[in-house]
């Protein structure tokens, strides 16, 4: 009877394969190539994270890494079966996006290429099962780049109107005379505008970035997790309305 624990003994089919020294060499080589290709993109990310409404981006990779860390025992049981064809295809797609972004000087496109190439690396080095197991941490990384900006641009105006209406109702409820005309609040002594920057839409991504790990660690059912994320967006919107209401009270 063969001892499967011997270094020279065969390993049964499907048995998780440990990271050998050769695998670590491959990981290191590919990581260096990835860092070399994306070296010019990292300063763009740091610049994006320096904006107050996107400062959460610096925490996203750390939280994603922590999501992987807490599930490390589960990942050890997954066999390493590299998907070379799929990994190369995804990496090439990410490289094309990277080049297009640099040619067009489109920072968002260039930053998004990193989000595409990282799953490609997982496919190439670890395989499809690892990619499925890492779906949440990898998808969460999308929040570190402004990929939702096109959506945010569309909701600025509805958010402005909602915040203005919320503040109007709140002020009238406590006896403060106010008249709303679109995004403008007319008080007896001052006129307030719920400006585009005050719509609360820019902080929606930050709220989602906080809500996702909170839902992951505190909720078990998928529908509860989704409900918590959706509720967090609503709470952020209502909080912005309360903030404008308090400004109205203070100015009055």
């Amino acid at each position: 009877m063969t001892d499967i624990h011997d270094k020279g003994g065969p390993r049964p089919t499907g048995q998780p394969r440990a990271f050998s020294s050769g695998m670590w060499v491959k990981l290191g080589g590919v990581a260096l190539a990835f860092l070399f290709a994306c070296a010019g993109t990292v300063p763009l990310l740091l610049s994006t994270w320096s904006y107050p409404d996107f400062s959460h981006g610096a925490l996203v990779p750390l939280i994603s890494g922590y999501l992987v860390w807490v599930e490390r025992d589960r990942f050890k049981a997954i066999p390493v079966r590299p998907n070379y064809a799929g990994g190369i295809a995804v990496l090439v797609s990410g490289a094309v996006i990277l080049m297009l972004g640099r040619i067009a000087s489109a920072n968002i496109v260039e930053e998004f290429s990193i989000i595409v190439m990282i799953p490609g690396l997982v496919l190439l080095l670890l395989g499809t099962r690892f990619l499925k197991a890492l779906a949440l941490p990898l998808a969460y990384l999308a929040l570190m780049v402004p990929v939702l900006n096109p959506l945010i641009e569309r909701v600025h105006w509805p958010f402005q109107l909602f915040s203005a209406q919320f503040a109007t109702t709140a002020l009238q409820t406590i006896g403060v005379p106010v008249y709303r005309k679109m995004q403008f609040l007319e008080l007896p002594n001052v006129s307030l505008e719920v400006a585009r920057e005050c719509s609360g839409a820019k902080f929606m991504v930050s709220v989602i970035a906080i809500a996702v790990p909170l839902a992951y660690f505190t909720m078990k059912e998928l529908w509860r997790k989704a409900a918590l994320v959706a509720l967090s967006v609503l709470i952020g919107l209502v909080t912005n309305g309360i903030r404008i209401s308090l400004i109205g009270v203070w100015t009055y």
Side-chain angles (χ1 to χ4, degrees):
M1 182 175 181
T2 305
D3 184 3
I4 63 174
H5 298 290
D6 291 341
K7 292 183 179 179
R11 186 180 297 274
T13 303
Q15 182 77 9
R17 187 172 68 188
F19 284 89
S20 63
S21 58
M23 176 61 70
W24 284 113
V25 171
K26 292 180 181 179
L27 283 171
V30 174
L32 287 175
F34 174 74
L35 291 175
F36 178 77
C38 300
T41 309
V42 173
L44 295 178
L45 279 174
L46 295 177
S47 177
T48 299
W49 296 343
S50 66
Y51 289 97
D53 55 353
F54 216 84
S55 57
H56 69 273
L59 296 176
V60 170
L62 300 178
I63 295 174
S64 178
Y66 183 71
L67 292 175
V68 176
W69 174 256
V70 296
E71 296 286 350
R72 60 191 182 280
D73 292 334
R74 181 166 66 93
F75 297 141
K76 290 178 182 178
I78 302 176
V80 178
R81 293 181 180 141
N83 185 340
Y84 296 111
I88 292 174
V90 176
L91 281 173
V92 170
S93 300
V96 170
I97 295 174
L98 176 63
M99 288 187 294
L100 292 175
R102 288 184 178 175
I103 293 172
S105 297
N107 293 351
I108 295 179
V109 176
E110 190 172 341
E111 293 171 8
F112 179 71
S113 67
I114 295 180
I115 308 303
V116 176
M117 285 192 282
I118 291 177
L121 290 174
V122 174
L123 270 177
L124 181 66
L125 297 173
L126 303 176
T128 306
R129 290 185 62 181
F130 264 95
L131 182 64
K132 292 179 180 178
L134 293 168
L136 177 61
L138 293 177
Y140 185 73
L141 288 175
L143 296 176
M144 74 178 182
V145 299
V147 293
L148 294 180
N149 271 8
L151 173 63
I152 293 175
E153 290 299 318
R154 292 179 177 272
V155 300
H156 268 298
W157 178 241
F159 276 31
Q160 284 176 263
L161 295 180
F162 176 87
S163 298
Q165 181 59 58
F166 184 96
T168 299
T169 302
L171 291 171
Q172 290 175 343
T173 300
I174 62 176
V176 176
V178 57
Y179 171 75
R180 182 179 74 88
K181 184 177 181 181
M182 303 299 285
Q183 78 273 30
F184 293 93
L185 303 182
E186 302 292 344
L187 282 78
N189 60 322
V190 69
S191 177
L192 300 177
E193 178 188 6
V194 181
R196 180 184 178 86
E197 294 75 12
C198 300
S199 68
K202 287 187 175 182
F203 299 101
M204 183 171 61
V205 180
S206 301
V207 172
I208 295 174
I210 296 172
V212 170
L214 180 63
Y216 178 80
F217 289 115
T218 60
M219 301 292 179
K220 293 183 178 180
E221 295 86 354
L222 180 60
W223 71 269
R224 290 181 182 273
K225 294 178 181 179
L228 180 59
V229 174
L231 183 62
S232 68
V233 176
L234 179 60
I235 291 174
L237 188 57
V238 171
T239 302
N240 190 59
I242 295 175
R243 179 180 65 86
I244 296 172
S245 302
L246 293 175
I247 292 174
V249 171
W250 180 74
T251 54
Y252 178 69

